[in-house]
Amino acid sequence: MTQYDTQKEFEEVMHNCRDLFEKKLHDYGTAWRVMRPETMTDQLYIKAARIRSLQMKGCAQVDEGIVPEFIGIVNYSIIALIQLTKGVADTEDLPVDEALKLYDDQAHKALSLMLKKNHDYNEAWRGMRVSSYADLIFMKIFRTKQIEALNGKTLVSEGIAANYMDMLNYAVFGLIKLTIENEE
């Protein structure tokens, strides 16, 4: 029986995502600070739709695969969580070092949530297909859009932040599974 170190795998994936985030901060700064939550949800929609399209068609015409899209979902989910916490700005008002700290804070929260859920679900995500993570992210996007249409006034559902966090974690699971598949 294979012994897994889910925390280590999660941290390795998050390290790669953060590395790209930091490089993009260098290139673009914090221009994303002007994006409203609804725009973040639509950006996540684009990433998830491309993953599903590539999975269903089995090929790509643009030379970028599924992995960069899952990384994009991780990073845009964290940006969305930062935006929910800080609010939307009219300018790049966030120094790079603060943006990285906020990123790390959200990544730590995601890891903590994953460890709690993984304990309760007993590594069930490992038995899932990567296509299922894409579908679950897609569903979470539609749920988020519905909550946004309700101006956040739900009766029994988790809020927008919980959906962003779930999307982030599903994307990390997808990246872990794709890494394992590539190594085998």
Side-chain angles (χ1 to χ4, degrees), residues 59-72:
C59 66
Q61 290 193 359
V62 176
D63 190 26
E64 295 174 355
I66 292 171
V67 169
E69 302 301 343
F70 273 125
I71 291 170

Side-chain angles (χ1 to χ4, degrees), residues 94 123 170:
L94 196 60
E123 301 273 338
Y170 286 136

Side-chain angles (χ1 to χ4, degrees), residues 6-159:
T6 302
Q7 181 170 344
K8 181 179 178 222
E9 292 169 315
F10 190 97
E11 289 170 343
E12 287 172 1
V13 164
M14 288 305 299
H15 173 77
N16 294 335
C17 294
R18 186 191 190 276
D19 183 57
L20 181 61
F21 179 79
E22 188 171 10
K23 288 174 181 171
K24 287 195 175 200
L25 277 177
H26 173 271
D27 291 352
Y28 305 129
T30 57
W32 48 264
R33 285 288 294 132
V34 303
M35 293 175 71
R36 292 171 280 193
E38 297 84 1
T39 306
M40 298 305 310
T41 303
D42 286 342
Q43 188 64 33
L44 288 160
Y45 172 82
I46 291 168
K47 298 292 182 190
R50 183 160 190 273
I51 291 169
R52 283 173 47 96
S53 173
L54 293 176
Q55 289 172 334
M56 293 167 83
K57 292 175 183 170
C59 66
Q61 290 193 359
V62 176
D63 190 26
E64 295 174 355
I66 292 171
V67 169
E69 302 301 343
F70 273 125
I71 291 170
I73 289 172
V74 169
N75 286 343
Y76 278 117
S77 294
I78 288 180
I79 291 169
L81 289 163
I82 292 169
Q83 291 295 84
L84 286 177
T85 303
K86 293 203 57 75
V88 177
D90 290 328
T91 183
E92 295 181 59
D93 65 343
L94 196 60
V96 168
D97 59 332
E98 186 179 344
L100 288 170
K101 182 189 177 317
L102 292 168
Y103 184 100
D104 292 341
D105 290 347
Q106 292 300 332
H108 178 74
K109 288 177 187 175
L111 172 62
S112 178
L113 177 64
M114 183 280 298
L115 290 172
K116 290 175 188 173
K117 286 187 172 187
N118 202 41
H119 171 271
D120 292 354
Y121 287 94
N122 198 32
E123 301 273 338
W125 66 271
R126 290 191 185 273
M128 296 171 61
R129 297 172 187 93
V130 174
S131 59
S132 294
Y133 305 131
D135 289 349
L136 288 165
I137 292 167
F138 214 55
M139 177 200 56
K140 291 284 184 176
I141 290 165
F142 286 113
R143 285 183 176 184
T144 302
K145 287 183 174 217
Q146 179 62 28
I147 294 169
E148 289 168 348
L150 295 170
N151 294 316
K153 294 178 177 77
T154 60
L155 299 178
V156 295
S157 303
E158 294 178 312

